[in-house]
Amino acid sequence: MNCGEQPFLPHEPAYIEQHGLFNQVPYITGVTKRESASFVTEKMMSQASYWQDINNDLEQVVPVTLGLAKGSQKSKEVAQKVKSFYFGNKTISYENRELWISLQTDLLFVTGVIQTVHTHANHSASKTYNYQFVYGHSGHAMELIFVLYNGKMQGESSNSVKIARIVGGLWTSFAKTGVPSVEGVAAWKPVTSNGSYPYLEISLSPVLKYNLEKEHMDFWENIYNEYGN
């Protein structure tokens, strides 16, 4: 790089976000209910060896961002706490695969999105909107299918058409005005810096709720507070 060039990223992304050094425009971010189901596939989970590997190496559920050495006492403690929180006394197995999908969804997507939502709302002069998409399979990027819907139309009354109109309407109004809204859907309130964390649960009947996956996020916040470096 020439000395006179401006770097594309002058700082670490977390630093940029925490100091408001970004283009402060209205922002939407969110997750689907079963994000990791697109990666933890039925084919993988149907194999006994998949679950054996997990149970033989439970520390794989310990986030790298905690900075804990694998095999350390703290890493083992976190692994056991995670297992207890998500599975209780149940075995991590195919029979409890939805719990595993939930854990992986939180690890890979929800914790990061929620941290971003809170930080962004605290350091942006523009509005931040959060959502959870719960329609259908709700796998990774499922909502984008309906933002740019190109599936076969099954008639105006079909559920696919209904959800496409809701999602498409929200994203279109956001692109036009900076405010996501569509007729017949509850007002989508932005996240605020005073600790109000609303999100829109997007389904055939969208509902405004608060504190996305709060119990799970409180668990991870406590883990990071106790074990994070």
Side-chain angles (χ1 to χ4, degrees):
M1 183 179 74
N2 295 329
C3 293
E5 281 188 33
Q6 289 295 320
F8 177 70
L9 283 176
H11 305 285
E12 290 287 334
Y15 180 93
I16 291 172
E17 193 170 59
Q18 291 164 6
H19 292 80
L21 304 176
F22 51 83
N23 193 14
Q24 299 193 7
V25 296
Y27 177 55
I28 286 180
T29 188
V31 295
T32 63
K33 180 67 175 177
R34 301 172 74 250
E35 289 272 5
S36 70
S38 297
F39 307 99
V40 183
T41 64
E42 183 67 23
K43 182 178 180 180
M44 293 165 56
M45 293 189 294
S46 64
Q47 300 176 34
S49 59
Y50 178 80
W51 302 104
Q52 290 170 1
D53 289 344
I54 292 169
N55 284 289
N56 289 337
D57 182 20
L58 193 57
E59 284 180 86
Q60 63 182 276
V61 302
V62 179
V64 175
T65 49
L66 281 174
L68 302 178
K70 188 172 183 179
S72 67
Q73 183 61 35
K74 287 186 176 181
S75 181
K76 292 177 180 179
E77 285 179 10
V78 170
Q80 287 300 321
K81 286 186 177 183
V82 171
K83 180 183 183 297
S84 178
F85 179 80
Y86 283 90
F87 292 89
N89 295 323
K90 298 176 182 176
T91 303
I92 301 179
S93 63
Y94 180 79
E95 287 69 27
N96 297 311
R97 59 193 179 280
E98 284 300 322
L99 298 176
W100 179 249
I101 289 172
S102 176
L103 166 56
Q104 291 300 310
T105 295
D106 288 345
L107 273 176
L108 299 176
F109 297 95
V110 184
T111 52
V113 167
I114 293 303
Q115 181 180 10
T116 296
V117 165
H118 293 181
T119 304
H120 208 85
N122 287 334
H123 296 92
S124 178
S126 295
K127 294 178 179 178
T128 301
Y129 296 92
N130 190 208
Y131 68 88
Q132 183 182 49
F133 187 80
V134 301
Y135 175 76
H137 177 261
S138 299
H140 179 61
M142 189 82 175
E143 72 276 40
L144 300 184
I145 295 173
F146 298 101
V147 174
L148 303 171
Y149 186 68
N150 62 358
K152 182 178 179 181
M153 294 294 180
Q154 301 297 325
E156 292 190 6
S157 62
S158 72
N159 287 340
S160 292
V161 172
K162 288 178 182 177
I163 199 72
R165 285 176 173 165
I166 291 170
V167 176
L170 289 168
W171 262 248
T172 299
S173 68
F174 179 74
K176 289 180 177 179
T177 68
V179 177
S181 65
V182 66
E183 185 177 354
V185 173
W188 188 349
K189 296 181 180 179
V191 178
T192 64
S193 59
N194 64 5
S196 175
Y197 301 126
Y199 71 96
L200 190 66
E201 182 184 85
I202 301 177
S203 65
L204 289 172
S205 299
V207 179
L208 186 71
K209 294 186 175 182
Y210 289 82
N211 298 307
L212 177 60
E213 300 292 358
K214 185 178 188 306
E215 183 181 357
H216 289 193
M217 295 305 101
D218 285 348
F219 167 78
W220 284 110
E221 182 178 9
N222 290 335
I223 288 290
Y224 274 89
N225 287 339
E226 184 174 356
Y227 294 95
N229 293 326

